Amino acid sequence: MARPTIASAYDYQRLDRIREKFYQVFGRECTLRDDVLLKRYNLSPDGELIMFIR
């Protein structure tokens, strides 16, 4: 999967952790684009998935 050039290596690691946690929580693979995923989800300092609802 090609990643956009706007994300740094740190963002890739964060994206991978968010996708892994997404799978643990919802039981399915996350198919959102990287930019959408970063807008809608994040991880708390203790590793819990945070979902942004707008």
Side-chain angles (χ1 to χ4, degrees):
M1 174 182 193
R3 300 202 188 253
T5 58
I6 57 170
S8 68
Y10 169 78
D11 290 330
Y12 296 146
Q13 291 173 356
R14 190 171 103 195
L15 283 164
D16 290 342
R17 287 194 317 268
I18 293 171
R19 287 185 191 282
E20 182 179 322
K21 191 64 175 183
F22 187 97
Y23 182 79
Q24 291 173 359
V25 170
F26 297 110
R28 61 186 326 171
E29 188 175 330
C30 179
T31 58
L32 297 171
R33 292 189 330 252
D34 292 347
D35 59 331
V36 175
L37 184 66
L38 288 174
K39 287 180 186 176
R40 295 187 183 171
Y41 296 93
N42 203 349
L43 294 175
S44 68
D46 62 347
E48 294 299 317
L49 186 67
I50 299 169
M51 181 180 193
F52 299 108
I53 301 173
R54 298 173 194 226

